Amino acid sequence: MNQFSTHLLALAPLAILCATIVTVMLSIAVRRHHFTAATMTVIGLNAALLSLLGVLQVTPIQVTPLFIIDDFSLLFGAIVLVASLACTTLAHAYLETLPDRREEFYILLLCSAGGALALIASRHFASLFIGLELLSVPLYGMVAYAYRDRISLEAGLKYMVLSGAASAFLLFGMALLYAASGSLEYAGLIEGLANGGAHQSWVLIGTGMMIIALAFKLSLVPFHLWTPDVYEGAPGPVSAFLATVSKVAVFALLLRFFTLAAPATHDWLLTLMGVIAFASMLVGNLLALRQRNVKRLLGYSSIAHLGYLLTAIVAGGELGTEAVGVYLATYVATTLGAFGVVTLVSSPYSGTDAGALHHYRGLFWRRPYLAAVFTVMMLSLAGIPMTAGFLGKFYVIAVSVESGLWWLAGGIVAGSAIGLYYYLRMMVILFLDEPGESRRDAVSGWGQQSGGIMVLLLAAGVAVFGIYPQPLIALVNAAGMAGG
């Protein structure tokens, strides 16, 4: 196999997504049909996922100076593709009665998923920026897709303006790092800065500005204020996509950057990130306590969980990398399941989603299996033993203790204790007597729908990996370090 064929095989998942985008676009031009567009998207995502088995035969491989395709990028790429597939499944049921054009939604989703794959494999500032923008720009349209609903349009505008500001910070930070080192590659910063002590302040400022931009994308304190509003206003499947695909891609980038780039390992910056992680744990959980909207509650909860995850990067080392992989896998499965239930309760589209707590009161008596799925997801988010969420929490506490970061370990314990209250409150609401007032209900026959089957599989996965986590741990270990 020659070099061109090898590089083409390494980029097969991204190439398949691009081909799927063109195919869906052409099908819309010929004849609009919602089921056809959704089916093509599912087929394309499955093909991209299966192509990862072929890519394993040529990894690790550097494809131009821009991308590194290794086991690390394949693991996080697989998580992105599975999450995108789940969001597509949820979107089909949700958008079925949307009084607007529905097919373009899948083009936006595929473009954003392609940006996530590019971001995960990037090892160069150029591919970093292109991947991040390809991930973010389609999200503006996805968040505001139900634009006839004022809250959705408002959420899309907020996300667009603030995301644009974050991109400006990112570009300025990259410019300062390039000015100091003369290199746009992460690893090249080490060599470029070997004799660049005079530019040390530029390096710290540039790296700090990049961290600000990435902290916005990850909803870390104090760059978190957009999160609950956007999660509440976005359609259910988009909230699930934001909370999973977007977070996985940016966090994988952050982990690779801290592994390869010398400026990112400066003690002062690591301390700053530790403070951000600690604040995110406490602020996210404390603000979630008073929420009366499930999507806002899950939004604040995601802030806390990203704070837990950031602890593993601050701690560093092989165990830190392993902790990130395990925690992200369990977080994605649990969050997809939670937002999946919200989406199914809100399906088909009929205006603002079923987000208020009273919409879920007595759900067990109407849809017992749906309530059971939501209960499993709340237990996992709370980190209760026998669920996958406990495994993730155990890992981040272990890595913080091993590194001597006792204050961060204490923050994880305190944040988890606070979170336990509102997760249990949400579970209790599911089993209360039904109110006399009118309420939203799950789509009829949800168990026979693909979305219902999908959340059942997620709940089963969360329970199985909570009881027998060895396959997941082995998979993460096989991905190795974020080197290259």
Side-chain angles (χ1 to χ4, degrees):
M1 184 180 292
N2 59 39
Q3 187 180 36
F4 175 78
S5 301
T6 305
H7 286 182
L8 192 61
L9 178 59
L11 294 176
L14 193 55
I16 291 172
L17 284 189
C18 293
T20 307
I21 293 168
V22 174
T23 305
V24 173
M25 193 181 304
L26 290 175
S27 73
I28 294 173
V30 174
R31 179 174 178 268
R32 286 187 172 275
H33 194 270
H34 183 215
F35 178 77
T36 301
T39 302
M40 287 180 175
T41 303
V42 169
I43 292 172
L45 288 169
N46 276 302
L49 193 58
L50 288 174
S51 71
L52 295 177
L53 297 175
V55 180
L56 276 171
Q57 308 305 314
V58 297
T59 57
I61 181 173
Q62 181 176 324
V63 184
T64 76
L66 300 182
F67 298 107
I68 176 72
I69 309 298
D70 53 10
D71 292 343
F72 173 85
S73 60
L74 292 187
L75 171 66
F76 288 97
I79 294 174
V80 162
L81 291 171
V82 169
S84 300
L85 191 59
C87 293
T88 302
T89 306
L90 293 171
H92 177 259
Y94 183 90
L95 298 174
E96 190 60 36
T97 58
L98 184 75
D100 286 296
R101 302 181 186 275
R102 295 160 287 181
E103 294 78 10
E104 284 82 0
F105 179 87
Y106 301 101
I107 297 177
L108 294 174
L109 186 146
L110 287 167
C111 287
S112 194
L117 292 183
L119 193 62
I120 289 169
S122 69
R123 64 188 305 277
H124 192 280
F125 285 151
S127 54
L128 183 160
F129 184 72
I130 292 171
L132 190 61
E133 291 306 294
L134 187 57
L135 168 69
S136 301
V137 173
L139 279 171
Y140 307 157
M142 291 170 66
V143 170
Y145 207 79
Y147 66 92
R148 295 182 188 276
D149 185 9
R150 182 190 62 82
I151 191 172
S152 179
L153 183 60
E154 178 185 337
L157 288 172
K158 282 181 179 179
Y159 187 67
M160 180 181 68
V161 172
L162 293 174
S163 185
S167 296
F169 272 92
L170 182 70
L171 278 172
F172 197 14
M174 290 192 301
L176 289 176
L177 285 176
Y178 177 66
S181 67
S183 174
L184 288 175
E185 293 186 38
Y186 306 163
L189 295 176
I190 299 174
E191 182 180 348
L193 294 171
N195 300 313
H199 301 297
Q200 188 67 16
S201 59
W202 286 22
V203 172
L204 292 180
I205 294 172
T207 307
M209 294 186 77
M210 287 187 65
I211 289 174
I212 287 174
L214 298 177
F216 169 86
K217 301 292 184 181
L218 292 172
S219 310
L220 295 168
V221 174
F223 313 103
H224 66 288
L225 297 178
W226 62 274
T227 307
D229 292 339
V230 172
Y231 278 35
E232 181 184 9
V238 181
S239 297
F241 191 91
L242 261 174
T244 55
V245 173
S246 176
K247 299 293 189 292
V248 168
V250 177
F251 216 92
L253 161 72
L254 196 63
L255 180 58
R256 193 185 290 278
F257 182 72
F258 267 74
T259 304
L260 296 181
T265 58
H266 195 280
D267 291 342
W268 180 81
L269 282 171
L270 288 175
T271 302
L272 175 62
M273 293 194 69
V275 172
I276 291 175
F278 187 84
S280 298
M281 299 174 206
L282 295 185
V283 172
N285 281 307
L286 288 172
L287 291 178
L289 286 175
R290 298 180 57 84
Q291 298 306 310
R292 307 295 298 175
N293 183 285
V294 175
K295 292 172 77 176
R296 292 181 70 88
L297 185 149
L298 290 173
Y300 280 119
S301 169
S302 73
I303 295 171
H305 283 282
L306 268 298
Y308 302 148
L309 258 172
L310 195 61
T311 301
I313 285 188
V314 175
E318 291 188 13
L319 184 59
T321 304
E322 184 179 340
V324 170
V326 170
Y327 200 106
L328 271 178
T330 58
Y331 166 79
V332 166
T334 306
T335 304
L336 278 175
F339 275 109
V341 171
V342 173
T343 303
L344 288 171
V345 173
S346 305
S347 299
Y349 175 80
S350 56
T352 305
D353 288 353
L357 290 181
H358 67 78
H359 292 143
Y360 298 83
R361 184 183 175 99
L363 182 67
F364 174 77
W365 308 108
R366 309 192 305 275
R367 295 285 186 270
Y369 297 112
L370 200 58
V373 169
F374 204 57
T375 300
V376 170
M377 298 309 170
M378 292 298 104
L379 290 172
S380 183
L381 287 172
I384 301 300
M386 307 293 283
T387 63
F390 172 76
L391 178 66
K393 289 270 181 72
F394 177 83
Y395 259 92
V396 291
I397 291 176
V399 73
S400 58
V401 169
E402 184 185 66
S403 302
L405 301 172
W406 292 97
W407 58 289
L408 285 176
I412 295 170
V413 173
S416 299
I418 297 169
L420 189 62
Y421 168 77
Y422 60 81
Y423 290 131
L424 292 178
R425 181 186 64 172
M426 188 68 231
M427 289 166 49
V428 169
I429 289 174
L430 300 175
F431 299 92
L432 295 177
D433 292 336
E434 298 186 56
E437 62 190 69
S438 61
R439 61 188 178 274
R440 300 286 293 272
D441 206 350
V443 61
S444 178
W446 76 273
Q448 286 70 46
Q449 303 296 323
S450 54
I453 296 171
M454 186 271 297
V455 296
L456 276 175
L457 291 175
L458 286 171
V462 167
V464 168
F465 285 127
I467 298 170
Y468 182 61
Q470 191 56 41
L472 177 61
I473 296 172
L475 183 64
V476 171
N477 283 333
M481 291 293 291

